Short mmCIF file of all heavy atoms in Angstrom, two decimals:
data_model
loop_
_atom_site.label_atom_id
_atom_site.label_comp_id
_atom_site.label_asym_id
_atom_site.label_seq_id
_atom_site.Cartn_x
_atom_site.Cartn_y
_atom_site.Cartn_z
N VAL A 1 2.09 8.39 -4.37
CA VAL A 1 1.69 7.71 -3.13
C VAL A 1 0.20 7.41 -3.15
O VAL A 1 -0.23 6.30 -2.78
CB VAL A 1 2.05 8.58 -1.90
CG1 VAL A 1 1.46 7.98 -0.62
CG2 VAL A 1 3.56 8.71 -1.76
N LEU A 2 -0.61 8.36 -3.60
CA LEU A 2 -2.06 8.17 -3.63
C LEU A 2 -2.44 7.03 -4.58
O LEU A 2 -3.24 6.15 -4.23
CB LEU A 2 -2.75 9.47 -4.04
CG LEU A 2 -4.26 9.54 -3.84
CD1 LEU A 2 -4.62 9.41 -2.36
CD2 LEU A 2 -4.81 10.85 -4.40
N VAL A 3 -1.89 7.05 -5.77
CA VAL A 3 -2.20 6.00 -6.75
C VAL A 3 -1.72 4.65 -6.24
O VAL A 3 -2.44 3.64 -6.35
CB VAL A 3 -1.55 6.34 -8.12
CG1 VAL A 3 -1.67 5.15 -9.07
CG2 VAL A 3 -2.21 7.57 -8.72
N ALA A 4 -0.52 4.61 -5.68
CA ALA A 4 0.00 3.35 -5.13
C ALA A 4 -0.93 2.82 -4.05
O ALA A 4 -1.18 1.61 -3.96
CB ALA A 4 1.40 3.56 -4.58
N GLY A 5 -1.47 3.71 -3.23
CA GLY A 5 -2.37 3.29 -2.17
C GLY A 5 -3.64 2.65 -2.70
O GLY A 5 -4.05 1.58 -2.22
N PHE A 6 -4.25 3.27 -3.70
CA PHE A 6 -5.50 2.71 -4.25
C PHE A 6 -5.25 1.41 -5.01
O PHE A 6 -6.03 0.46 -4.91
CB PHE A 6 -6.17 3.74 -5.15
CG PHE A 6 -6.96 4.77 -4.39
CD1 PHE A 6 -6.48 6.07 -4.25
CD2 PHE A 6 -8.17 4.44 -3.80
CE1 PHE A 6 -7.20 7.02 -3.54
CE2 PHE A 6 -8.90 5.38 -3.10
CZ PHE A 6 -8.41 6.68 -2.97
N VAL A 7 -4.15 1.35 -5.77
CA VAL A 7 -3.84 0.12 -6.50
C VAL A 7 -3.58 -1.02 -5.53
O VAL A 7 -4.09 -2.14 -5.69
CB VAL A 7 -2.63 0.34 -7.43
CG1 VAL A 7 -2.15 -0.98 -8.01
CG2 VAL A 7 -2.97 1.32 -8.54
N LEU A 8 -2.78 -0.75 -4.50
CA LEU A 8 -2.45 -1.79 -3.53
C LEU A 8 -3.69 -2.23 -2.74
O LEU A 8 -3.87 -3.42 -2.47
CB LEU A 8 -1.37 -1.28 -2.58
CG LEU A 8 -0.82 -2.28 -1.56
CD1 LEU A 8 -0.19 -3.48 -2.27
CD2 LEU A 8 0.20 -1.61 -0.66
N ALA A 9 -4.55 -1.27 -2.40
CA ALA A 9 -5.75 -1.61 -1.64
C ALA A 9 -6.68 -2.53 -2.43
O ALA A 9 -7.38 -3.36 -1.85
CB ALA A 9 -6.49 -0.34 -1.23
N ARG A 10 -6.70 -2.37 -3.75
CA ARG A 10 -7.54 -3.25 -4.58
C ARG A 10 -6.93 -4.64 -4.73
O ARG A 10 -7.64 -5.59 -5.05
CB ARG A 10 -7.76 -2.61 -5.95
CG ARG A 10 -8.60 -1.33 -5.88
CD ARG A 10 -8.91 -0.78 -7.26
NE ARG A 10 -9.68 0.45 -7.19
CZ ARG A 10 -11.00 0.51 -6.98
NH1 ARG A 10 -11.68 -0.62 -6.85
NH2 ARG A 10 -11.62 1.67 -6.92
N ARG A 11 -5.62 -4.75 -4.52
CA ARG A 11 -4.95 -6.04 -4.73
C ARG A 11 -4.86 -6.88 -3.47
O ARG A 11 -4.68 -8.10 -3.56
CB ARG A 11 -3.54 -5.79 -5.28
CG ARG A 11 -3.53 -5.27 -6.71
CD ARG A 11 -2.12 -5.20 -7.25
NE ARG A 11 -2.10 -4.81 -8.65
CZ ARG A 11 -0.99 -4.72 -9.38
NH1 ARG A 11 0.18 -5.00 -8.84
NH2 ARG A 11 -1.06 -4.36 -10.65
N THR A 12 -4.94 -6.25 -2.30
CA THR A 12 -4.78 -7.03 -1.06
C THR A 12 -5.70 -6.48 0.02
O THR A 12 -5.91 -5.27 0.11
CB THR A 12 -3.32 -6.99 -0.56
OG1 THR A 12 -3.21 -7.77 0.63
CG2 THR A 12 -2.87 -5.58 -0.26
N ASP A 13 -6.21 -7.39 0.84
CA ASP A 13 -6.97 -6.99 2.02
C ASP A 13 -6.16 -7.22 3.29
O ASP A 13 -6.69 -7.12 4.40
CB ASP A 13 -8.30 -7.74 2.09
CG ASP A 13 -8.10 -9.26 2.19
OD1 ASP A 13 -6.95 -9.72 2.10
OD2 ASP A 13 -9.12 -9.96 2.34
N ASP A 14 -4.88 -7.55 3.13
CA ASP A 14 -3.98 -7.74 4.26
C ASP A 14 -3.45 -6.37 4.69
O ASP A 14 -2.59 -5.78 4.03
CB ASP A 14 -2.83 -8.67 3.86
CG ASP A 14 -1.87 -8.94 5.01
OD1 ASP A 14 -2.01 -8.31 6.08
OD2 ASP A 14 -0.97 -9.79 4.84
N LEU A 15 -3.95 -5.86 5.80
CA LEU A 15 -3.59 -4.50 6.22
C LEU A 15 -2.13 -4.39 6.63
O LEU A 15 -1.53 -3.33 6.48
CB LEU A 15 -4.51 -4.04 7.35
CG LEU A 15 -4.39 -2.57 7.75
CD1 LEU A 15 -4.61 -1.65 6.56
CD2 LEU A 15 -5.36 -2.23 8.87
N ILE A 16 -1.54 -5.47 7.14
CA ILE A 16 -0.12 -5.42 7.51
C ILE A 16 0.74 -5.23 6.26
O ILE A 16 1.62 -4.37 6.21
CB ILE A 16 0.29 -6.69 8.27
CG1 ILE A 16 -0.47 -6.79 9.59
CG2 ILE A 16 1.80 -6.69 8.52
CD1 ILE A 16 -0.19 -8.06 10.35
N THR A 17 0.47 -6.04 5.24
CA THR A 17 1.21 -5.91 3.98
C THR A 17 0.99 -4.53 3.37
O THR A 17 1.94 -3.89 2.89
CB THR A 17 0.76 -6.99 2.98
OG1 THR A 17 1.08 -8.28 3.53
CG2 THR A 17 1.46 -6.83 1.65
N TYR A 18 -0.26 -4.07 3.39
CA TYR A 18 -0.56 -2.74 2.84
C TYR A 18 0.22 -1.66 3.58
O TYR A 18 0.85 -0.79 2.96
CB TYR A 18 -2.06 -2.47 2.93
CG TYR A 18 -2.44 -1.06 2.50
CD1 TYR A 18 -2.73 -0.77 1.18
CD2 TYR A 18 -2.46 -0.02 3.43
CE1 TYR A 18 -3.05 0.52 0.79
CE2 TYR A 18 -2.77 1.27 3.05
CZ TYR A 18 -3.06 1.54 1.73
OH TYR A 18 -3.37 2.82 1.34
N THR A 19 0.16 -1.68 4.91
CA THR A 19 0.81 -0.64 5.71
C THR A 19 2.31 -0.63 5.48
O THR A 19 2.93 0.42 5.28
CB THR A 19 0.50 -0.83 7.19
OG1 THR A 19 -0.92 -0.87 7.39
CG2 THR A 19 1.09 0.30 8.02
N LEU A 20 2.92 -1.82 5.50
CA LEU A 20 4.36 -1.91 5.29
C LEU A 20 4.75 -1.39 3.92
O LEU A 20 5.69 -0.60 3.78
CB LEU A 20 4.81 -3.35 5.46
CG LEU A 20 6.29 -3.65 5.20
CD1 LEU A 20 7.17 -2.86 6.15
CD2 LEU A 20 6.58 -5.14 5.33
N THR A 21 4.02 -1.79 2.89
CA THR A 21 4.34 -1.37 1.52
C THR A 21 4.17 0.13 1.34
O THR A 21 4.99 0.79 0.69
CB THR A 21 3.46 -2.12 0.51
OG1 THR A 21 3.60 -3.53 0.71
CG2 THR A 21 3.85 -1.77 -0.91
N MET A 22 3.14 0.70 1.96
CA MET A 22 2.91 2.14 1.82
C MET A 22 3.96 2.94 2.59
O MET A 22 4.38 4.02 2.14
CB MET A 22 1.51 2.49 2.29
CG MET A 22 0.41 2.00 1.36
SD MET A 22 0.62 2.60 -0.34
CE MET A 22 0.44 4.37 -0.11
N LEU A 23 4.39 2.45 3.73
CA LEU A 23 5.48 3.12 4.44
C LEU A 23 6.75 3.11 3.60
O LEU A 23 7.47 4.12 3.53
CB LEU A 23 5.72 2.43 5.78
CG LEU A 23 4.69 2.70 6.89
CD1 LEU A 23 4.95 1.77 8.08
CD2 LEU A 23 4.72 4.14 7.35
N GLN A 24 7.03 1.98 2.97
CA GLN A 24 8.21 1.89 2.11
C GLN A 24 8.09 2.83 0.91
O GLN A 24 9.05 3.51 0.53
CB GLN A 24 8.39 0.45 1.66
CG GLN A 24 8.75 -0.50 2.79
CD GLN A 24 8.63 -1.96 2.42
OE1 GLN A 24 7.99 -2.31 1.43
NE2 GLN A 24 9.24 -2.84 3.21
N THR A 25 6.90 2.90 0.32
CA THR A 25 6.68 3.80 -0.81
C THR A 25 6.88 5.24 -0.40
O THR A 25 7.51 6.03 -1.12
CB THR A 25 5.25 3.61 -1.37
OG1 THR A 25 5.07 2.24 -1.75
CG2 THR A 25 5.02 4.51 -2.57
N ALA A 26 6.35 5.61 0.77
CA ALA A 26 6.49 6.98 1.24
C ALA A 26 7.96 7.33 1.47
O ALA A 26 8.39 8.46 1.16
CB ALA A 26 5.70 7.16 2.53
N ILE A 27 8.73 6.41 1.98
CA ILE A 27 10.16 6.67 2.19
C ILE A 27 10.86 6.91 0.86
O ILE A 27 11.74 7.78 0.75
CB ILE A 27 10.80 5.49 2.94
CG1 ILE A 27 10.33 5.48 4.40
CG2 ILE A 27 12.33 5.55 2.88
CD1 ILE A 27 10.69 4.23 5.16
N LEU A 28 10.46 6.19 -0.17
CA LEU A 28 11.12 6.34 -1.48
C LEU A 28 10.79 7.66 -2.15
O LEU A 28 11.62 8.19 -2.91
CB LEU A 28 10.70 5.18 -2.40
CG LEU A 28 11.18 3.78 -2.00
CD1 LEU A 28 10.60 2.73 -2.92
CD2 LEU A 28 12.71 3.72 -2.00
#
């Protein structure tokens, strides 16, 4: 989860996309 968060944060500045993707990652 931590690595996914940092990788995703470097790829997008869209907080909605980031939040949605991280919630989905956490569920998995």
Side-chain angles (χ1 to χ4, degrees):
V1 172
L2 193 62
V3 171
F6 279 106
V7 170
L8 185 60
R10 293 185 181 280
R11 290 186 175 182
T12 181
D13 61 355
D14 182 353
L15 188 56
I16 297 176
T17 298
Y18 174 89
T19 304
L20 177 61
T21 305
M22 289 304 296
L23 285 171
Q24 293 167 343
T25 303
I27 288 169
L28 293 175

